Amino acid sequence: MHKQTENSKDGEKQKLTAKEILKEQWFLTTLCFHAAPRGMAFHIFESVKLQVSIFFEFIWMINYTLGIAERGGPWKQFFWCMVLFMAAVFVSTVSFAYYKQSALPRMTPVLHQAFRMHIYERTKNLDLACYDDTEFYQKFILAAEESDSCIDRYLETLEIYCSGITTFVLSLGFCLAMNPLILLVTAGNLFLSLWIAGRENRLQIASRMERLPYEQKREYQNRVFYLSDYAKDLRLYPGMQEKCSQDFNESQKEIRRIHRTYGKKLFVYGSIREAAGTVYLEQVLSWSLLLYQVLVLHTLTYAAMLSSLKASSYVSESTKAMIAGWKKAAENAAYVKRIQSLTDMAPSVISKKNLPASSHPAAFDLRHVTFSYQPGKPVLHDISLHIGAKQKIALVGYNGSGKTTLVKLLLRLYDPDSGSICCNGTDIRDFAVESYRHSIGSVFQDFKIYAASLKENVLLDISRHTKQESYDVEKALFDAHFTLQDHRLRYQIETPLTTEFEKDGVNLSGGEMQKVAIARTLYRRQNLIIMDEPSSALDPLAEYELNQELNEIAQDQTVVFISHRLSTTRDADCIYMMEQGRIIEAGTHEKLLAAGGKYAGMWKVQAGLYLDS
């Protein structure tokens, strides 16, 4: 319930001022005109031209042709008027058809891409810590879901205002010239429509923002049912299907509740708007006034009556359209502002001096490093250690001891809350982030294989398509003990991985995928290699062979690796035993065994399993 209240308040914050709405519209205008200037100019031209055509067809032509009939004018005058008019309509129709069927469909994807790239460019350097923030993640999901819709709403709003202003000016001018009294009806309806539209807009935005977290949960549960990552578990554990269905239904229930809560008020406002605006003011009052002028006062001709009725209805419709357009613009501005607040988050992982990363083998000094994902809940406590250049360092400990968090700090995916990390004597916060991260190779437990070729999965970069590049990729795979001679790899390193998009794709085993992930690091030959459980999916013999190979390949590089299998740590220059975010033991394998501490106990348990078997 607390969450619902927070979301409701968040929705209330979306009540933007006119200045804020115009600011976000101007942002979209500059973005769109920069991406497709000619297309946007054509969009505005067609919006204006269409309303000019409608005005001449349904107002000016009615008044002119009926005026000829009432005056008993010559047939020739009527005929040539119709010929010229039909020619103009034909040209206008061809132009509009080209715009609607060709120009607009080609422009819209360009604008979608421009906005998506704007979001990407502004978010690609944000902290990894942002993904631990629920509010950030909700905004990120909103950006992904609403970016295209924001552009579509903007184009629609722009069309509404270009059309509405054109119709309003032409129709208003006609009414002022022919029958100014008819405008009294429109003026009375304007204020009521503005009042109702403002309240409807705020309710709709508040409803959308309150639904967002539940829609996010519902989408997650929906993904679980169709993604291959979950297919095996859902079949082996049917109870989980029921649990996911329950969670999905609960989210649906909350979304329906929110719809009911806001729907009642929206129904009331909508009923008032439709009844007052359509039936009484526009129909009854307009016809009553015009018939009185024609039949009683005799101040209007029938041609003037019909044309002024049409013109007044256009004034009213264009006013309502612009009010609805403002409502849509306000809704769109709320989304854009929320997306902009995401992209405006200043990354804390920034460089103080923007220095290039060192090309020498990395040596690290961690001094009193403390870190927490959430305030007041430290994961690492006062960590101090030294990693010498070209040393092989092992981090060991039970799950949750802080090993992976520590290497994330070394990679500068996060910054410590206190203390410092120095590389070759320089605080890593002084290095240019991209340059520093590029100097480190890493393999994490949760590495991903992409729906791309084997070569691209090793490169993780744009291929240069050179023989040397292909040779280096093959060598990295060979060093990682990946077998290219497998009969399934019909195209060798060009073989597509996963069968999601390619019928000739190959699904690798867990061990094979891990070897590909290791090959990524070996391909780059960075100064520091970080391995987080690099051989967890390999059998003991393959693990032993790979470790021997890695020691030989990386003899001139600094290596930090995490492993639960202590057989991989015995050759390390120094082993750090971690427990509850602290380093409790440090030394070589022999020294730690002799000390008889936690590491020795862990070693005896694992060695005993092999001895018993």
Side-chain angles (χ1 to χ4, degrees), residues 287 365 439 474:
W287 273 107
D365 285 290
S439 69
E474 290 178 1

Side-chain angles (χ1 to χ4, degrees), residues 72 74 137 149 201 217 256 299 311 348 363 406 422 443 458 491 540 586 593 595:
Y137 204 61
S149 298
N201 179 55
K217 290 178 182 178
R256 287 197 297 269
T299 56
S348 62
L406 183 57
C422 293
V443 179
V458 174
Y491 310 108
L593 286 183

Side-chain angles (χ1 to χ4, degrees), residues 223-389:
R223 291 200 308 269
V224 165
F225 279 103
Y226 69 77
L227 287 181
S228 61
D229 298 3
Y230 304 96
K232 180 175 63 177
D233 287 342
L234 290 179
R235 281 152 182 79
L236 292 174
Y237 306 102
M240 195 60 194
Q241 295 184 30
E242 184 178 351
K243 175 66 171 66
C244 291
S245 296
Q246 289 176 353
D247 292 345
F248 182 89
N249 291 331
E250 287 175 6
S251 298
Q252 278 288 83
K253 182 179 178 181
E254 289 299 323
I255 292 170
R256 287 197 297 269
R257 178 191 62 78
I258 295 167
H259 276 302
R260 285 196 301 270
T261 301
Y262 288 93
K264 294 174 183 177
K265 296 179 182 178
L266 288 170
F267 169 75
V268 172
Y269 285 127
S271 299
I272 295 173
R273 171 170 46 77
E274 289 299 322
T278 302
V279 179
Y280 296 105
L281 291 180
E282 291 189 347
Q283 300 297 322
V284 178
L285 295 180
S286 294
W287 273 107
S288 299
L289 178 61
L290 288 169
L291 289 172
Y292 180 77
Q293 288 177 298
V294 172
L295 300 176
V296 178
L297 300 178
H298 303 291
T299 56
L300 284 181
T301 64
Y302 285 103
M305 181 189 75
L306 292 175
S307 57
S308 61
L309 176 65
K310 198 68 176 177
S312 67
S313 69
Y314 279 2
V315 171
S316 177
E317 288 173 10
S318 61
T319 302
K320 289 179 183 178
M322 287 189 287
I323 292 173
W326 181 257
K327 174 182 168 183
K328 189 177 290 291
E331 178 188 3
N332 209 33
Y335 291 135
V336 175
K337 182 177 177 64
R338 194 171 172 89
I339 292 171
Q340 289 287 77
S341 69
L342 163 71
T343 62
D344 287 340
M345 292 179 69
S348 62
V349 179
I350 57 177
S351 174
K352 294 179 180 179
K353 298 181 181 179
N354 215 37
L355 299 175
S358 172
S359 59
H360 301 291
F364 286 87
D365 285 290
L366 282 73
R367 304 185 183 112
H368 307 291
V369 170
T370 298
F371 174 76
S372 57
Y373 291 104
Q374 298 177 349
K377 298 179 180 180
V379 178
L380 298 178
H381 305 265
D382 195 31
I383 297 291
S384 294
L385 60 86
H386 172 74
I387 302 173

Side-chain angles (χ1 to χ4, degrees), residues 14-41:
Q14 301 304 315
K15 298 177 181 178
L16 305 183
T17 64
K19 183 178 179 181
E20 289 175 318
I21 294 171
L22 292 174
K23 177 184 176 182
E24 301 305 338
Q25 293 301 113
W26 179 249
F27 159 74
L28 290 175
T29 300
T30 55
L31 178 80
C32 291
F33 268 93
H34 180 75
R38 288 185 294 181
M40 289 298 297

Side-chain angles (χ1 to χ4, degrees), residues 126-137 342 345-347 414:
L126 291 180
D127 294 2
L128 187 64
C130 290
Y131 291 85
D132 303 324
D133 186 341
T134 302
E135 182 181 358
F136 168 87
Y137 204 61
L342 163 71
M345 292 179 69
Y414 297 87

